[in-house]
Amino acid sequence: MSALAYRTLGLIWLGAVLFFLYAPILVMAAMSFNASEFYQLPFRFSTQWYARLADNQEILDAAARSVLIALCVTAIATTLGSMASIAMFRHEFRGKRLLQVLLFPPIAIPWLITGTAMLIFFFGVGLGRGTPAVIIGHVALAIPYVIVVVTARLATFDPTLEEAARALGADAWTVTRRVTLPWIAPGIVAGALFAFAVSFDQFVVSYFLSEPGDSTLPVLIYTAIRKGFTPEINAISTIIITLSMTVMLIAARYSKFGGDR
Amino acid sequence: MAHVDVTNLTKTFGTFTALDDVTMDFPDGGFFALLGPSGSGKTTLLRTIAGFLFPDRGAVCIGGQPVSAVPVEKRDVGMMFQNYALFPNMTVADNIGFGLRVRRVGAAEERRRVGAALELVQLGDLGNRRPHQLSGGQRQRVALARAIVTNPRVLLLDEPLSALDKALRIDMQIELKRIQREIGITTIFVTHDQEEAMTLSDRIGILRAGRVVQSGPPRDVYNAPQDLFTAGFLGDANLLEGHADGTHLVLTDGTRIELPVRPGVFEAFAVRPESLTLSADRPRGAGINAIPAVLRQRIFAGAMATCIAERAGQSFKVVARDRDMPDLPENGEVWLSWDRDSTLTIPHAS
């Protein structure tokens, strides 16, 4: 095949990927501005679904709860995960390999099974269902992602820098704060974004662990579309996507996430 | 400033003995080179003095105080690393000022001392640059300034010049020596480059397999190596194979050569390449040893020339200034001669 054919094929491929990624989202966003409740065409612009959203206390509560849970999860998982990465980077200890290996199967275990197991466990220890259980569950799911991302960043860190700082009289905390953290900050930001996304998108585990009437946004949306789909769901989804894409773009701009620019 | 003593240091890593009962002292204000092949324990010794490693047995004293149990951040040492280890997220001035900030000297005092350190290493106006904007030699100077700005009791250098190309390395050697003299700090540096060790230091220690085989001023160690390893490691040496017979050495083919008159019992004898003279005719004179050989190769290296001659299956290296080296045909008969007193007499065959 000629170079031109390769190039054309490549462009078609790229176009297809972008189409399948973004077309459903764009359709949903468009429909959130359509006056018709039943997705009827021709398209008539309206903001009535957004206006009705403001009156839907149930959706607003769930959205607020989801954001709050995701922020807690991000803070806890990013802190614990980064600390674990640094510890594994700095020290050799017995069982380190085993620990590193054990961190990753949870990513591959189906969430349905993880969720069931957590539910049984939390009832067993007397915690039961509710927001604390959801947060703990999400943290457990998010930590491996944080460790993977932060460890990848640490692999580019020269450990001699820590030695140089110690030789200059810096204690362990100063070394971490002034030398190690500035270098791995982009990795920590990326890890935090992953943790936020894992929690905010989480449906299965949240569904098992949240109490009725106290559900997160994905659980509420699922329950709502079982009763009957309303364009209000499109409206809240469009708001969420706009917000999260803005955050991601800003983070990508500052953390060089996804390669140098 | 302080002198450093290490006594009976032993350090093992698993089954590997990196330091084996090492005792050494490093006088106040001296420039000491630790020289040895890789795996000889020189870096382990430096890192133990720095406080990155703790010995299994033995003691480290700095300025008379035992510091064996003190970690590096409390030892008040300056350290320079092979790869410079400059903090990439800080400017040159912040790199140099790091140790001062840790010690909370205050902003004005920090600025003054960083400025003075920049002057000392001749980088006056580069304080606002980032490390990645500097050349190799400039990074080197920043690393040195950072190591000495806190006035540490001892300066430790871990192969500090090995990442530089040759011309720059020689410049930095001169610079390092100047700065060390100017501030008079006790300096210990590790190198595997014997020429660098001899150029810079006023004392060297040769390490092999975790032991110090010899130490002393470079000229003494070079002229009177105590074993064959040192003779071959510090400079080159042509081993003379044979057995001693009173004042003479009988080579394996029966040739008798004269030995210098020195007290002691010697087990091996060798001649430095630069002590040998190459000639077409046999030189004569009192105290001159001469043996016949076949010239195999002549290697031109600018100012210096090296010749390889062969005798009874053994090859001899001869080094002289190129203009002093006679132009003799390869594979022709030549004479190798040397002054009896320049023979190296080695007490331990090792």
Side-chain angles (χ1 to χ4, degrees):
Chain A
M1 264 199 290
S2 72
L4 183 69
Y6 268 121
R7 197 178 144 73
T8 315
L9 206 66
L11 283 174
I12 292 170
W13 179 259
L14 181 65
V17 168
L18 289 176
F19 181 79
F20 284 111
L21 264 179
Y22 285 103
I25 297 172
L26 289 175
V27 168
M28 186 196 70
M31 285 306 161
S32 72
F33 290 105
N34 193 353
S36 164
E37 194 173 344
F38 306 105
Y39 302 95
Q40 277 174 335
L41 294 172
F43 183 84
R44 279 187 303 117
F45 183 81
S46 154
T47 53
Q48 59 164 315
W49 305 115
Y50 288 88
R52 293 221 343 223
L53 198 60
D55 299 329
N56 191 332
Q57 201 53 43
E58 203 183 7
I59 285 188
L60 293 181
D61 284 350
R65 194 174 301 114
S66 267
V67 170
L68 198 69
I69 288 173
L71 289 176
C72 286
V73 169
T74 303
I76 299 170
T78 307
T79 309
L80 293 180
S82 301
M83 282 162 63
S85 300
I86 293 173
M88 286 192 284
F89 173 74
R90 281 190 191 159
H91 305 290
E92 287 303 322
F93 49 87
R94 206 140 48 118
K96 177 173 154 179
R97 286 260 163 273
L98 183 69
L99 185 63
Q100 282 172 323
V101 167
L102 282 179
L103 276 169
F104 301 114
I107 295 180
I109 293 173
W111 281 338
L112 195 67
I113 294 170
T114 313
T116 315
M118 282 178 177
L119 184 61
I120 295 168
F121 177 74
F122 288 148
F123 269 105
V125 298
L127 186 67
R129 299 167 78 162
T131 303
V134 174
I135 291 176
I136 294 173
H138 286 189
V139 166
L141 292 177
I143 279 182
Y145 290 93
V146 176
I147 292 179
V148 168
V149 177
V150 176
T151 300
R153 179 69 190 173
L154 270 170
T156 66
F157 179 69
D158 175 9
T160 327
L161 294 178
E162 291 192 339
E163 294 191 341
R166 290 182 63 200
L168 289 165
D171 57 34
W173 169 236
T174 310
V175 172
T176 305
R177 191 170 54 90
R178 303 286 298 281
V179 177
T180 318
L181 286 181
W183 181 264
I184 62 170
I188 292 177
V189 170
L193 289 171
F194 267 113
F196 190 90
V198 165
S199 168
F200 198 67
D201 292 350
Q202 185 50 245
F203 167 68
V204 183
V205 170
S206 304
Y207 188 72
F208 276 83
L209 296 180
S210 60
E211 276 178 319
D214 213 15
S215 49
T216 62
L217 192 58
V219 175
L220 187 83
I221 291 173
Y222 173 75
T223 322
I225 52 181
R226 273 171 39 129
K227 282 188 240 158
F229 208 88
T230 71
E232 280 169 282
I233 301 297
N234 287 340
I236 183 79
S237 305
T238 304
I239 292 173
I240 289 166
I241 285 167
T242 311
L243 283 178
S244 57
M245 281 182 72
T246 310
V247 171
M248 276 297 194
L249 286 174
I250 293 170
R253 179 74 190 78
Y254 285 99
S255 70
K256 294 184 177 173
F257 187 52
D260 270 308
R261 260 169 286 273
Chain B
M1 309 301 136
H3 65 97
V4 177
D5 290 299
V6 303
T7 32
N8 307 111
L9 279 191
T10 298
K11 178 73 187 174
T12 55
F13 298 104
T15 55
F16 177 72
T17 304
L19 292 179
D20 187 2
D21 199 28
V22 171
T23 297
M24 255 181 152
D25 83 298
F26 305 90
D28 191 4
F31 202 131
F32 204 105
L34 296 172
L35 185 63
S38 53
S40 59
K42 57 189 193 301
T43 300
T44 305
L45 179 55
L46 191 81
R47 292 175 67 81
T48 307
I49 294 170
F52 288 117
L53 297 173
F54 298 102
D56 299 340
R57 276 196 302 283
V60 179
C61 288
I62 298 178
Q65 298 164 307
V67 293
S68 303
V70 178
V72 55
E73 57 268 27
K74 303 234 166 69
R75 251 182 222 197
D76 197 16
V77 295
M79 178 112 183
M80 213 170 135
F81 296 85
Q82 190 171 358
N83 64 355
Y84 320 123
L86 299 180
F87 306 127
N89 55 317
M90 299 179 201
T91 62
V92 165
D94 286 344
N95 261 281
I96 298 174
F98 187 88
L100 299 171
R101 275 199 302 290
V102 167
R103 286 167 177 75
R104 300 178 198 288
V105 299
E109 173 73 357
E110 179 187 327
R111 232 184 344 267
R112 191 186 64 74
R113 283 166 73 175
V114 167
L118 278 167
E119 287 303 319
L120 184 67
V121 298
Q122 300 177 345
L123 288 178
D125 44 359
L126 296 184
N128 291 323
R129 297 270 184 94
R130 297 259 166 182
H132 68 88
Q133 296 170 310
L134 302 179
S135 71
Q138 289 170 332
R139 286 180 208 182
Q140 189 70 66
R141 287 161 192 262
V142 175
L144 179 62
R146 187 179 67 177
I148 58 180
V149 75
T150 57
N151 293 325
R153 293 190 290 175
V154 47
L155 178 61
L156 306 172
L157 313 170
D158 185 7
E159 307 235 7
L161 306 179
S162 63
L164 301 176
D165 61 50
K166 194 174 176 193
L168 199 53
R169 197 160 66 225
I170 289 166
D171 282 351
M172 276 308 293
Q173 284 175 0
I174 296 166
E175 190 71 2
L176 195 56
K177 185 101 182 165
R178 172 183 72 81
I179 291 168
Q180 194 267 342
R181 284 212 179 118
E182 209 167 305
I183 60 178
I185 187 172
T186 311
T187 303
I188 305 172
F189 92 114
V190 154
T191 180
H192 61 262
D193 182 337
Q194 36 128 336
E195 218 172 296
E196 188 170 286
M198 288 190 282
T199 314
L200 282 173
S201 57
D202 40 48
R203 284 186 67 202
I204 60 179
I206 310 274
L207 280 93
R208 184 198 190 187
R211 288 176 165 275
V212 182
V213 290
Q214 191 173 351
S215 69
R219 192 184 295 272
D220 292 4
V221 178
Y222 186 80
N223 288 331
Q226 294 298 298
D227 64 7
L228 278 177
F229 170 79
T230 307
F233 191 74
L234 195 66
D236 249 318
N238 297 304
L239 185 65
L240 298 169
E241 284 169 27
H243 63 275
D245 175 20
T247 58
H248 284 72
L249 179 70
V250 183
L251 299 183
T252 42
D253 63 350
T255 313
R256 290 173 70 84
I257 59 166
E258 284 184 61
L259 289 175
V261 183
R262 282 174 200 160
V265 180
F266 305 108
E267 287 192 17
F269 304 91
V271 190
R272 294 280 183 207
E274 69 276 16
S275 300
L276 286 175
T277 305
L278 193 72
S279 56
D281 302 316
R282 175 171 192 161
R284 300 197 179 273
I288 297 290
N289 284 317
I291 54 176
V294 176
L295 179 62
R296 289 294 181 209
Q297 215 182 347
R298 181 186 173 123
I299 303 152
F300 171 72
M304 304 300 284
T306 301
C307 282
I308 309 292
E310 198 179 289
R311 179 183 174 283
Q314 194 195 347
S315 67
F316 283 81
K317 200 188 254 186
V318 184
V319 172
R321 286 200 300 176
D322 188 66
R323 63 159 113 156
D324 295 340
M325 190 72 91
D327 198 9
L328 297 170
E330 285 185 5
N331 297 316
E333 299 263 322
V334 294
W335 285 90
L336 298 173
S337 58
W338 70 97
D339 187 326
R340 179 186 74 185
D341 291 330
S342 68
T343 310
L344 298 177
T345 47
I346 296 161
H348 307 289
S350 72

